[in-house]
Amino acid sequence: MTDWTTDDSAELYGIRRWGNGYFDVSARGELTVRVPTADGSIQVALAEILDGVRQRDLRLPLLLRIENLLDAQITRLNEAFRNAIAEHDYPGSYRGVFPIKVNQQRQVIEEITRFGAPYRHGLEAGSKAELMIALASLPADGSLIICNGYKDREFIDLGLRARQLGFQCIFVIETPAELPVILARSRALGVEPRLGVRVKLSTTVGGHWNLTSGERSIFGLSISQLVEVVDRLREAEMLNTLRLLHCHLGSQIPQLDDIRSAAAEACRFYQELMNEGAAMEMIDFGGGLAVDYLGTGSSDSQSRDYSLAGYAAALVETVMTNLTDPDRPPTIITESGRETVAYYSLLLFNIFDVTRFDPAAEGLIPGPEAHPLLRKMASRLERIGAETPQQNYREIVACRDRLHELFTAGQLSLRDRALAQELLLAAGRRLLRQSPGQQLPADLQTLREDLAAIYYGNLSVFQSLPDHWAIGQLFPVAPIRRLAEKPQCHAVIADITCDSDGRISRFIADRGTRATLALHELAPGEDYVLATFLVGAYQETLGDLHNLFGDTDIASVRIEADGGFVITREDRGDSVADLLGYVQYDARELKARFRATAEQAVRENRINLPQRQEILACFNAGLDGYSYFET
């Protein structure tokens, strides 16, 4: 314990590997956020921010947004391309675009447009609703809006009207069926469109989300469809409206070589469209820029083997190599949503209960009257510390299994079955102590996980971390205090939903993943708070209402150069009444129905009038309360 340092905790939880320079551990053992300033950086403890938020009556679980990190990420992205363009003497320019689908929350979009204004950072809209967000958020001074997805007449009319207002609104054609509608509405409204085409590349990239790459992608035009679109535009004398080539390389692409290969193929399509006579101006490489969730800098699907600077340089180099006309350099566009917002948000939640799988009395010895199998288990337990520990443990497991059968047949008492469980737990603990850090045989490899404690967290995985539940996405997790102490307990985290999938049971490790997380033993009365990081991308908009746990409280802070911070926005999470409304229950009707039930109980003399009032007040308080665990 005394040899443990805060550097050990930083290494254990990988904070400096996945934190992108934004998170660290203070000398006091508190997890900190580090934000850039004009003359360096400043660190503030997350515990200090949480204390300030709680003084404003916001509750855990809490989604904490740190504005400085969004500002910093937008700056880093644009400056990376600016530096790559300068380094390679590229005569063109770069425009960043944020895909609204990655996080549609109003505050997020407003801050992206505010922080992105110096770089003329645009937005990508994949639906009518998202287009309306873009039009209401960006200035009508040539702001870039990329319109992806399938488009009906209302979508197209709105985009054409946006061009009248001064927006640079580009329709990306996903299917040939869209083109006749766009041309017809353009003629009817007297507004010339700006068009792009999305092509299906043959290059297939690696990673979790690669189904948008390759010729079998469900989005985009095949080569024959692309030729058809060009021919139709030429026949309509509107080939000059085709200005952009779009391709989506994939999301969370871990390998830079894949990005280079796909970008080179996209450049060939761009060149051929120029050869056809299209007035090409922009090449949009879509998403793909990965976040290193694991912090391993590897080709794992949840990491990346390149830096942001390397990504920008690869695209600039590829365009310069494959598009050589110096008089018509395309504007390079990327739609890097995940990298932009992932670091900006983190989820804070408290641990309110623990289940441990430890023997109550490891030295307990069955008496001579105990079942022979129990006495055999105790004998093998003693041998674990001396000889063939793994084989003795296997024999203990076999005895336990036979005792379970006897219990089911009514031939073993409840107390004897409990003793069998105690002996098995004692054997498992002793075996792990005999083989610290060793690789166990295949049939025993889950032993550490089987004996891990369950820490019950005040959160809903389905609501706040849906990608962890659905596709096994890993998010870094760490306590925000006590990082100067060595954690002694290996645990998994269960949420407060009554569902076995409501848990976090895979965690990042120094060379990949692990099944448990090292945490501290809870002290009596302690408020033990964990943070889950890199949750800004997709998690807020994909969450569902499993068990009717809704949106958490939200606090946005901006850290000042003097080390202080201001809370710029507070949003209360869903009440129980809010959530019931989402599933078509009217709170007033529920109150009336429950009031009638209570009144009936008064008439039948089961409760008196004061009790009726107390019961109704309890019901009403429940409707108005937070959907999560309240202390």
Side-chain angles (χ1 to χ4, degrees), residues 76-89 309 312-313 316:
R76 285 183 176 185
L77 176 65
N78 283 277
E79 290 300 321
F81 274 94
R82 179 176 291 181
N83 293 338
I85 286 170
E87 182 179 346
H88 293 87
D89 294 322
V316 171

Side-chain angles (χ1 to χ4, degrees), residues 575-577 587-588 590-592 594-595 612-626:
S575 69
V576 172
R588 291 172 298 180
L590 290 176
K591 288 181 180 180
F594 189 71
R595 191 183 303 114
R612 171 191 182 274
Q613 294 306 104
E614 292 172 357
I615 292 171
L616 291 179
C618 181
F619 186 84
N620 293 339
L623 284 173
D624 295 335
Y626 201 21

Side-chain angles (χ1 to χ4, degrees), residues 33-157:
V33 56
R34 177 190 285 118
V35 300
T37 61
D39 53 358
S41 64
I42 191 75
Q43 288 189 79
V44 177
L46 290 176
E48 182 182 345
I49 296 175
L50 177 59
D51 289 343
V53 167
R54 281 177 153 172
Q55 290 171 18
R56 291 159 174 83
D57 200 31
L58 293 177
R59 305 151 294 180
L60 294 176
L62 174 84
L63 185 71
L64 180 64
R65 295 176 179 151
I66 302 171
E67 290 184 358
N68 311 66
L69 302 189
L70 183 57
D71 191 355
Q73 283 299 97
I74 291 174
T75 299
R76 285 183 176 185
L77 176 65
N78 283 277
E79 290 300 321
F81 274 94
R82 179 176 291 181
N83 293 338
I85 286 170
E87 182 179 346
H88 293 87
D89 294 322
Y90 179 61
S93 61
Y94 169 76
R95 293 287 294 274
V97 169
F98 178 75
I100 294 176
K101 64 176 175 291
V102 176
N103 194 324
Q104 300 106 328
Q105 300 297 322
R106 174 181 174 180
Q107 179 192 356
V108 177
I109 301 302
E110 288 178 349
E111 290 178 2
I112 285 172
T113 55
R114 176 160 58 96
F115 297 142
Y119 301 102
R120 297 182 62 77
H121 211 84
L123 294 171
E124 180 263 341
S127 68
K128 280 183 284 189
E130 290 184 352
L131 178 55
M132 292 174 185
I133 290 173
L135 294 177
S137 302
L138 291 168
D141 60 355
S143 293
L144 180 60
I145 302 175
I146 303 294
C147 296
N148 288 323
Y150 293 109
K151 307 161 196 70
D152 60 13
R153 172 174 167 169
E154 286 185 350
F155 191 132
I156 292 165
D157 283 2

Side-chain angles (χ1 to χ4, degrees), residues 593-613:
R593 289 161 60 181
F594 189 71
R595 191 183 303 114
T597 299
E599 190 62 30
Q600 181 66 26
V602 171
R603 287 197 297 271
E604 295 175 359
N605 295 319
R606 286 183 278 116
I607 59 172
N608 57 35
L609 285 175
Q611 290 173 326
R612 171 191 182 274
Q613 294 306 104

Side-chain angles (χ1 to χ4, degrees), residues 6 66 78 126 199 293 328 331 366 398 403 490 501 551 559 605 625:
T6 55
I66 302 171
N78 283 277
V199 296
Y293 291 96
R328 298 180 64 183
T331 297
L403 287 168
H490 291 274
D501 287 338
D551 287 340
I559 296 171
N605 295 319

Side-chain angles (χ1 to χ4, degrees), residues 505-519:
S505 55
R506 298 300 299 174
F507 304 92
I508 65 167
D510 55 352
R511 289 181 295 275
T513 66
R514 57 190 172 205
T516 62
L517 182 68
L519 295 173

Side-chain angles (χ1 to χ4, degrees), residues 422-433:
E422 290 290 300
L423 291 168
L424 179 69
L425 291 174
R429 290 294 177 200
R430 189 170 297 186
L431 177 58
L432 290 181
R433 286 198 297 270

